[in-house]
């Protein structure tokens, strides 16, 4: 069978169903508001967002692999590029750039200029510690973990805190070898 | 330096120019987000009614803001329809509502409907526009289709009965439907509903439906459809339902 040609992020985004980004943005805002009302503590909300993102990422990776036809990434550098150019484009309609590789090639920065999650959002003083887009870090972490990469993701820059872009630091902790579930003899 | 010259930093959010209009994200991104929203709320409530309530509240917040965005986008009001009826109940009907598309309801949750979220959005829009209404979502089982159609039932409060108000209500609902990617009922479906109505007439229930009015006021019959009210099975038989169609989908008798 001829190998499937990986599609570009733009091509995939054009071929899938899309919805109004504002609906998406406002729904996310409603969700964060609910979390803040229920949980009140900013740290707890950050954790909850990350956890929700993790759940999403674990399922999102399947769709990503199915629709994008990317072959197995050779190294972490390729992974980074694929996330930035194909993954983010396919789901959020925006691309990010990859930068600041460390010497071992085990961590990079993902920089987003445009982020549909944060349209029309301003953080009040009482919630300055909130990482509003923490769901994104969870999504990436969850997705990568499903393809055997355990990562740690932190926010370096956040436009809602006054910076000029969104920067995520993605650090590869370890590659987990595939484990097969124990098979019963039946 | 990234984005030199592209990004201006505003001290105040409100000074930022309104962003580039119709941008899109993938449907699955929205579906994933919505599913997490529902799952989170499930952990916070004990029963279905509360779950629907919370979703509706979330949708309400969305709706209020959607309306603001619509207003600031300076939409030209040339799609206002001439409504001559003083109906106060409307339905938006959708075969596969966006939020219900990827959600399956386990049997023990019975009649729970994620359309409560959409109902909340519509309610938020109407409330913010000054047309308070009670908005609910219902499943309407349709013959020959496995999944039931979802219907958003909108019942306006009594105050909003002037003709201009009706026109504005129709216009707003049209815009909301656009935002939600909801198709309003099409011609073939109206024909189907007319069949249903014939069946109802045969069962002689029709007489009953004319009577129910709000506050004892006479309800004018729609000039466009030239038919008495339609009754959809699956909805409360006493509720009068009125179908909104876009102008090019109206059926002349």
């Amino acid at each position: 069978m001829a190998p499937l040609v990986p599609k570009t992020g733009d091509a995939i985004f054009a071929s899938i169903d899309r919805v109004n980004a504002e609906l998406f943005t406002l729904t996310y805002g409603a969700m964060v508001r609910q979390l803040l009302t229920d949980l009140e503590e900013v740290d707890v909300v950050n954790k909850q967002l990350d956890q929700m993102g993790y759940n999403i990422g674990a399922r999102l990776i399947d769709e990503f692999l199915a629709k994008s036809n990317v072959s197995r990434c050779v190294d972490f550098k390729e992974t980074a590029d694929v996330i930035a150019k194909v993954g983010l484009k396919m789901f959020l309609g925006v691309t990010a750039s990859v930068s600041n590789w460390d010497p071992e090639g085990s961590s990079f920065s993902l920089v987003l200029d445009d982020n549909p999650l944060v349209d029309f959002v301003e953080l009040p003083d009482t919630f300055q510690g909130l990482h509003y887009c923490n769901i994104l870090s969870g999504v990436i972490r969850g997705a990568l973990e499903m393809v055997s990469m355990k990562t740690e993701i932190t926010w370096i820059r956040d436009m809602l805190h006054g910076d000029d872009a969104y920067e995520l630091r993605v650090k590869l902790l370890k590659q987990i070898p595939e484990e097969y579930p124990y098979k019963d003899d039946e | 330096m990234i984005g030199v010259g592209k990004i201006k930093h505003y001290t105040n959010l409100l000074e930022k120019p309104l962003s580039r209009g119709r941008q899109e994200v993938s449907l699955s991104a929205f579906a994933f987000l919505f599913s997490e929203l529902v799952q989170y709320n499930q952990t916070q409530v004990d029963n279905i009614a509360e779950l629907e309530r919370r979703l509706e509240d979330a949708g309400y917040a969305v709706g209020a803001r959607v309306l603001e965005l619509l207003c600031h986008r300076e939409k030209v009001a040339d799609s206002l329809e001439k409504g001559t009826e003083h109906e106060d109940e409307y339905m938006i009907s959708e075969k596969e509502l966006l939020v219900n598309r990827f959600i399956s309801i386990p049997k023990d949750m019975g009649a729970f409907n994620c359309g409560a979220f959409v109902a909340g959005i519509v309610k938020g829009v109407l409330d913010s526009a000054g047309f308070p209404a009670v908005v609910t979502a219902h499943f309407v089982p349709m013959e020959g289709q496995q999944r039931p159609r979802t219907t958003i039932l909108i019942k306006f409060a009594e105050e909003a009965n002037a003709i201009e108000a009706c026109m504005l209500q129709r216009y707003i609902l049209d815009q909301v439907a656009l935002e939600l990617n909801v198709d309003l009922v099409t011609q073939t479906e109206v024909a189907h509903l007319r069949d249903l109505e014939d069946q109802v007439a045969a069962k002689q229930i029709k007489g009953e439906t004319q009577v129910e009015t709000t506050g004892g006021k006479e309800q004018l019959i729609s000039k466009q459809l030239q038919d008495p009210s339609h009754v959809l099975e699956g909805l409360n038989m006493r509720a009068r339902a009125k179908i909104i169609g876009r102008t090019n989908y109206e059926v002349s008798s």
Side-chain angles (χ1 to χ4, degrees):
Chain A
M1 194 173 95
L4 296 165
V5 177
K7 304 185 196 159
T8 61
D10 289 313
I12 307 171
F13 192 60
S15 66
I16 55 175
D17 288 335
R18 295 179 294 281
V19 296
N20 192 339
E22 275 153 18
L23 180 62
F24 179 74
T25 307
L26 292 173
T27 306
Y28 184 66
M31 194 168 86
V32 175
R33 250 193 316 278
Q34 266 194 345
L35 287 173
L36 284 169
T37 322
D38 294 334
L39 303 171
E40 286 168 25
E41 289 288 313
V42 156
D43 293 321
V44 183
V45 174
N46 282 339
K47 257 188 84 185
Q48 180 69 31
L49 281 174
D50 186 76
Q51 182 57 38
M52 286 165 123
Y54 183 85
N55 295 339
I56 292 180
R59 295 184 294 155
L60 183 132
I61 187 72
D62 286 330
E63 184 175 339
F64 173 74
L65 291 172
K67 294 231 164 84
S68 67
N69 295 339
V70 291
S71 49
R72 216 180 166 75
C73 288
V74 169
D75 59 6
F76 199 50
K77 281 199 161 60
E78 204 182 322
T79 310
D81 283 327
V82 164
I83 296 175
K85 301 282 177 271
V86 185
L88 281 174
K89 180 75 192 176
M90 202 170 128
F91 290 102
L92 293 181
V94 295
T95 42
S97 52
V98 175
S99 62
N100 290 355
W101 278 102
D102 71 344
E104 301 111 48
S106 69
S107 78
F108 66 94
S109 279
L110 198 62
V111 183
L112 282 134
D113 293 323
D114 183 18
N115 189 344
L117 289 169
V118 299
D119 284 339
F120 323 123
V121 175
E122 203 176 50
L123 281 184
D125 293 327
T126 42
F127 295 124
Q128 280 301 318
L130 181 68
H131 290 304
Y132 188 82
C133 323
N134 221 21
I135 208 169
L136 266 183
S137 67
V139 169
I140 297 178
R141 186 169 68 88
L144 286 176
E145 197 158 316
M146 291 298 129
V147 284
S148 328
M149 284 179 257
K150 212 162 158 61
T151 52
E152 187 188 313
I153 306 191
T154 41
W155 285 98
I156 308 288
R157 279 187 285 167
D158 190 336
M159 259 164 135
L160 295 174
H161 293 147
D163 299 313
D164 55 350
Y166 292 95
E167 187 176 338
L168 273 169
R169 189 87 198 147
V170 181
K171 187 170 145 98
L172 176 66
L173 295 175
K174 61 178 179 179
Q175 299 257 14
I176 316 163
E178 293 252 355
E179 273 177 35
Y180 293 97
Y182 177 74
K183 282 196 174 90
D184 264 339
D185 292 316
E186 298 213 273
Chain B
M1 210 164 84
I2 302 156
V4 170
K6 265 195 246 173
I7 303 167
K8 274 173 87 170
H9 303 294
Y10 295 88
T11 46
N12 188 348
L13 182 74
L14 295 172
E15 288 165 19
K16 252 179 159 165
L18 205 52
S19 61
R20 52 277 149 187
R22 297 266 146 185
Q23 265 219 327
E24 294 176 313
V25 298
S26 79
L27 171 61
S28 54
F30 177 76
F32 280 124
L33 181 67
F34 185 71
S35 92
E36 281 304 313
L37 180 68
V38 175
Q39 280 181 60
Y40 168 73
N41 278 305
Q42 267 185 306
T43 64
Q44 300 284 316
V45 300
D46 304 316
N47 58 61
I48 297 175
E50 246 188 277
L51 181 55
E52 286 203 350
R53 185 80 230 279
R54 285 185 70 116
L55 283 183
E56 199 186 301
D57 288 342
Y60 186 91
V62 174
R65 288 158 177 82
V66 158
L67 182 67
E68 280 191 50
L69 279 176
L70 286 178
C71 292
H72 291 122
R73 290 260 152 70
E74 293 160 12
K75 281 224 152 63
V76 178
D78 52 14
S79 59
L80 266 181
E81 294 168 18
K82 294 257 177 234
T84 52
E85 64 279 337
H86 289 273
E87 309 295 346
D88 66 350
E89 276 186 26
Y90 289 84
M91 263 176 25
I92 299 180
S93 183
E94 169 77 351
K95 196 162 131 182
E96 187 89 79
L97 197 63
L98 194 72
V99 299
N100 283 338
R101 224 168 115 174
F102 299 108
I103 300 222
S104 59
I105 316 281
K107 286 237 163 45
D108 59 346
M109 294 191 75
F112 171 64
N113 189 342
C114 290
F117 181 68
V118 177
I121 295 182
V122 177
K123 182 161 194 270
V125 172
L126 293 173
D127 259 13
S128 304
F131 301 116
V134 174
V135 187
T136 45
H138 303 273
F139 277 129
V140 180
M142 299 293 268
E143 289 176 28
Q145 286 174 19
Q146 275 193 327
R147 293 193 67 138
R149 157 184 295 276
T150 312
T151 294
I152 313 286
L153 183 65
I154 302 153
K155 191 173 163 58
F156 287 105
E158 278 183 39
E159 301 92 72
N161 265 335
I163 288 191
E164 295 85 0
C166 280
M167 285 161 68
L168 268 172
Q169 286 160 13
R170 293 278 285 261
Y171 168 68
I172 288 173
L173 285 166
D174 226 16
Q175 298 305 325
V176 168
L178 263 174
E179 280 285 321
L180 298 175
N181 295 340
V182 171
D183 273 341
L184 300 180
V185 177
T186 64
Q187 192 166 18
T188 49
E189 283 148 337
V190 173
H192 173 67
L193 290 165
R194 285 164 70 82
D195 290 339
L196 271 177
E197 193 224 340
D198 291 338
Q199 291 172 33
V200 162
K203 288 184 202 165
Q204 292 177 338
I205 298 175
K206 214 161 148 188
E208 221 176 77
T209 66
Q210 295 251 10
V211 174
E212 187 72 10
T213 60
T214 329
K217 291 192 290 288
E218 288 263 314
Q219 302 284 347
L220 291 181
I221 294 170
S222 157
K223 293 239 166 85
Q224 287 146 351
L225 289 178
Q226 298 200 352
D227 279 317
S229 58
H230 298 275
V231 175
L232 274 190
E233 310 189 57
L235 285 181
N236 184 345
M237 291 295 261
R238 288 192 168 273
R240 288 189 58 226
K242 183 80 181 71
I243 315 300
I244 301 173
R246 292 186 208 264
T247 41
N248 51 336
Y249 287 148
E250 276 150 16
V251 178
S252 50
S253 63

